[in-house]
Amino acid sequence: FDARPYSLTGQDFEKPGYSQNRFGGTIGGQIPKTRTQYTVNYSGGLNRNAYSAFGTVPTPLERVGDFSQSVSRGPVTVFDPLTNQPFPENRLPESRLDPAAVGLLQYIPLPNQPGAVQNYQFVTTIPRITHALSTRINQSLTQKHRVSGGFNWTTRDNEAAQLFGFVDRSTGHGYTIDGGWSWTLRPRMVNDLRLRFNRDRSETVPFFASKDDTARRLGIDGPSTKPENFGPPNLNFTNFGDLTDASSVRRLNGSWSITEGLNVVRGKHTLQLGAEMRRVRLDTNTDQNARGTFAFTGLVTSAFDAGGQPLPNTGYDFADFLLGAPQSSSIRFGTTDTLFRTGVYSVFVQDEWRARSNLTLNLGLRYDYYEPYKEKDGRLANLAVAPNFTGVMVVTPANEGYPEGLINPDRNNFAPRLGFAYRPFKKNRLQVRGGYSLFYDNTVYGTIANRLAGQPPFAQTAQLQTSSTRRLTIQNGFGNDPTKQVTNTFAVAQDYVLPYAQTWNFALQEEFGGGMVLEASYVGTKGTRLDVLRLPNRAAPGSPLTAEQRRQIGNAVGFTYDSSEGNSIFHALQVRVIRRMRRGVSTNVFYTWSKSIDNASNIGGSGNVVAQDDRNLAAERGLSVFDRRHQLTWTGMVNSPFGERGLFLRDKSLAARMLQSWNLMMTTTATSGRPLTARVLGNVSDAGGTGASGSSRADATGLPVKAGDGLFNLAAFTTPPAGRFGNAGRNTIQGPGAITVNLSLGRSFTLSERKRLEVRAAADNVFNHVNYTSIGTVVNALNYGLYTDTAQMRTMNVTMRLRF
């Protein structure tokens, strides 16, 4: 009953094989003649999931250098970089085709769909195997002392597919051991002590690992020579799908923790006090970009004006590729092992105070100290930045005055909690509730540590832009620039502090007759000190090919700088209507109207990209990438009206027995789309080399974005003029909305006094409705204004569970 993935081109293709098998069993009870309770549980899954991806690949003519029929927002004209004149008939001479590029063509598939856009679809089946075993023991030593313990073991074997058909394998296993001791000190005072230890190993083996040493065979200098890093370099294009594959990764993660808690009931107060200490190790063996990455933008085959700026509608990214002339390159490898260590130390107190019969207050305070990650052998590197970014110097933990994690510890993480529930009228069921809380995001420390690792002097990195003095080629594009003494590509402010979010809410709830409940609420969240990524060391926008010589810090490459100075604000009004189960029918309707604005979307969702203009962070403020203005969820359940307790067939006939006790549940979800940003890539996206993918925005023409018959008004955006950044705002295009209906039907059969069989069939997206998830928003790309991906189509599963 599962549907095949949707085809954007309308062409049929073979339906991939589906298989969703989940199974398990539980046994438990009391060991005879003891006070020991035990439980053993096993669960497993043998699943095969469909993978479907769309892309644009070069046509057969383009693969041999014939661009006479190529179109990219107009006819394509490719210029000879040696003569600055158009190639005759828009065809590259066979003698000019780069041997390395010709050799890499074998990894770029031919079209399998009609047309020149979205002309390739890859569909396959991805297996996923999981097993999990857990045990639990509880022992009452005395009436006051109880101990418990558990052991959990998991294993997994998965595959992940890439657009061009490369399939990578990931395996892993892990275990967790925990134990606890509960001591009743007094009738209303209980102390709990918990210990926990876990360990997890995982490994990712790329498709090309230990196969063909592509770089050596094609004469590409610079990539890693380790067999696990074999394969072609990553290739990024403006108009075509990217050639990518995973990196080889081996991880060993572990942690142990001890938690102490005391619960005390005294009068109208229920107090909870506690403390926790947790130590974490993250050991990783990988090279982050060992095969290297080339970007082809059409810059090399463009025509240029008198100021050295590329002209619109000239140049083509795949022509650059066939000539072996990337616009930029990057590579990073060398620090294979990183041994990260950190600790978390927490204390908290909370009081639930029943101040009056109709008023309850919840007051709490929590303090957390998160250690910045440190590398066991000191293999982290940061940049010490001079005022106004006039100079940089590489620093490591060995430098005097720098902490082990190269970030000053943040010890001011106090988080208050406040909540209340109030019933103002004794004869009325109106309830008033509200609360406030504050949360810190310590996960950013792990991201920062990973970026600080794998940099000089502990690893080899290079990030180059082609220039008039040094033309990059595929063969020599990964070399070092002898004029740059500092090649580190990431830095973080030493005074970086953790981002945090404050959230507050207020709700009114009223109960009516007939089991009806109405609730209206307001929710607000404010993010503070969010991550902002910028590129302070770059040439002015619109600089010509000599931009590498015009960076503010001349002896350093362009680097990303991370600081905590972003902010966000979110407001939501919510309405919920509930009809409790009555006469076999219940329903729940939940509607949210919300808006979120930020200049760094890293709390509440992904999407934090490098700021377009380092000197104008105010221009980054816009809708959050996760903003959805309207969200509606309706859930309804209907019990069978047949049988002894129903409205029909109340007898004991066969028909009554077969139709009774069934329940049907349907959930409908409708949401408006997330906002998208109009961007520019390729030869017009700041040829001076900002090095930030996705941060160059388009120009707003002044025409309305929502006008026109398409997904949005394509004429509302254009490429910006040479010499300045695009003035279009972030996330000004509303993406496509979605409607999904899920349905389930189930029943429980009584086989005997102690045996029961439960059966349920469930279908997600039961009506197989097409929900588009993304749109091409790069104004100078082939797929501008077209749908580029869809959500999952209908899937169905049947579950049977035997209880005895």
Side-chain angles (χ1 to χ4, degrees), residues 190-516:
V190 179
N191 185 80
D192 282 303
L193 178 66
R194 300 286 173 183
L195 302 174
R196 183 182 178 91
F197 175 82
N198 69 71
R199 186 68 62 88
D200 185 86
R201 294 177 180 270
S202 62
E203 181 177 11
T204 297
V205 180
F207 176 82
F208 293 101
S210 302
K211 294 179 181 177
D212 177 37
D213 189 355
T214 308
R216 303 289 89 73
R217 177 170 55 84
L218 298 179
I220 303 174
D221 294 331
S224 169
T225 58
K226 296 180 180 179
E228 61 265 32
N229 296 326
F230 283 177
N234 298 309
L235 306 178
N236 295 340
F237 297 95
T238 301
N239 292 296
F240 301 100
D242 297 332
L243 189 159
T244 61
D245 192 26
S247 298
S248 175
V249 182
R250 291 187 295 276
R251 289 190 174 93
L252 173 59
N253 300 337
S255 69
W256 64 266
S257 64
I258 178 170
T259 305
E260 168 69 20
L262 180 66
N263 297 329
V264 180
V265 178
R266 185 178 295 275
K268 295 182 179 181
H269 297 269
T270 300
L271 293 171
Q272 293 181 312
L273 304 93
E276 180 182 12
M277 179 175 67
R278 185 167 76 251
R279 298 295 304 177
V280 179
R281 61 175 290 181
L282 304 176
D283 297 351
T284 304
N285 183 296
T286 187
D287 287 307
Q288 298 180 17
N289 187 14
R291 294 190 303 273
T293 301
F294 288 119
F296 299 91
T297 65
L299 179 68
V300 176
T301 53
S302 294
F304 296 87
D305 61 19
Q309 300 302 310
L311 297 177
N313 299 322
T314 66
Y316 203 51
D317 51 353
F318 202 72
D320 286 13
F321 168 73
L322 290 178
L323 293 176
Q327 190 266 341
S328 64
S329 69
S330 62
I331 194 167
R332 175 180 293 193
F333 66 92
T335 304
T336 302
D337 291 308
T338 53
L339 311 175
F340 293 128
R341 304 290 185 267
T342 189
V344 180
Y345 309 91
S346 309
V347 293
F348 65 89
V349 59
Q350 181 171 294
D351 179 17
E352 183 177 299
W353 176 24
R354 292 173 295 280
R356 300 173 59 180
S357 60
N358 63 341
L359 175 63
T360 298
L361 300 177
N362 195 302
L363 308 172
L365 179 65
R366 182 181 181 93
Y367 173 77
D368 296 285
Y369 171 56
Y370 306 100
E371 288 183 350
Y373 280 87
K374 62 182 180 181
E375 210 281 328
K376 184 179 179 182
D377 298 323
R379 292 172 296 185
L380 297 176
N382 199 5
L383 294 179
V385 180
N388 300 318
F389 295 99
T390 55
V392 294
M393 180 184 70
V394 178
V395 294
T396 71
N399 288 85
E400 184 177 355
Y402 289 89
E404 290 183 286
L406 300 178
I407 303 174
N408 295 335
D410 181 6
R411 294 189 172 92
N412 299 309
N413 301 323
F414 292 93
R417 306 282 196 271
L418 169 65
F420 72 91
Y422 179 52
R423 188 170 178 175
F425 309 109
K426 292 184 178 180
K427 296 183 179 181
N428 192 295
R429 295 185 177 183
L430 176 67
Q431 295 184 35
V432 183
R433 296 189 300 273
Y436 168 86
S437 55
L438 188 149
F439 302 92
Y440 291 89
D441 180 15
N442 70 313
T443 61
V444 295
Y445 276 161
T447 302
I448 290 173
N450 278 314
R451 290 175 173 175
L452 292 178
Q455 296 202 102
F458 308 108
Q460 176 183 340
T461 65
Q463 182 171 293
L464 301 176
Q465 302 277 341
T466 195
S467 69
S468 57
T469 57
R470 181 180 180 179
R471 296 278 186 174
L472 298 184
T473 68
I474 294 178
Q475 287 89 347
N476 70 11
F478 294 132
N480 289 313
D481 187 342
T483 66
K484 309 297 182 184
Q485 288 78 44
V486 178
T487 59
N488 298 53
T489 57
F490 178 79
V492 61
Q494 186 179 342
D495 60 354
Y496 181 93
V497 288
L498 287 175
Y500 65 88
Q502 303 172 78
T503 181
W504 55 91
N505 63 82
F506 181 81
L508 298 174
Q509 179 179 298
E510 178 69 85
E511 295 189 29
F512 301 94
M516 298 293 296

Side-chain angles (χ1 to χ4, degrees), residues 550-569:
R550 301 185 180 181
R551 294 188 184 276
Q552 183 173 346
I553 308 172
N555 69 332
V557 301
F559 60 88
T560 302
Y561 186 76
D562 190 350
S563 57
S564 50
E565 51 187 312
N567 60 81
S568 67
I569 187 67

Side-chain angles (χ1 to χ4, degrees), residues 670-690:
T671 66
S672 55
R674 296 186 300 177
L676 304 169
T677 300
R679 302 180 296 142
V680 292
L681 293 175
N683 60 342
V684 295
S685 59
D686 187 10
T690 64

Side-chain angles (χ1 to χ4, degrees), residues 37-161:
Q37 299 283 340
Y38 72 94
T39 303
V40 180
N41 180 77
Y42 165 77
S43 62
L46 303 176
N47 304 325
R48 293 172 60 84
N49 301 310
Y51 171 86
S52 175
F54 302 92
T56 300
V57 296
T59 64
L61 286 177
E62 291 172 332
R63 293 171 69 94
V64 297
D66 186 347
F67 300 99
S68 59
Q69 300 181 26
S70 298
V71 176
S72 178
R73 315 307 303 169
V76 168
T77 304
V78 291
F79 283 73
D80 189 339
L82 300 181
T83 64
N84 296 323
Q85 297 298 316
F87 280 104
E89 298 181 339
N90 259 1
R91 292 184 174 92
L92 306 183
E94 184 177 356
S95 61
R96 296 285 299 277
L97 301 185
D98 183 77
V102 174
L104 291 172
L105 276 176
Q106 63 177 301
Y107 304 109
I108 301 176
L110 289 163
N112 58 15
Q113 301 290 317
V117 183
Q118 304 287 50
N119 58 359
Y120 173 76
Q121 182 171 16
F122 175 59
V123 178
T124 189
T125 300
I126 300 300
R128 177 180 175 85
I129 302 173
T130 59
H131 299 281
L133 177 67
S134 64
T135 62
R136 194 80 194 163
I137 294 178
N138 296 278
Q139 172 72 56
S140 296
L141 301 177
T142 66
Q143 290 185 346
K144 293 186 176 181
H145 297 275
R146 295 171 298 279
V147 294
S148 61
F151 174 80
N152 297 277
W153 170 83
T154 61
T155 182
R156 55 199 178 275
D157 190 342
N158 311 320
E159 290 184 358

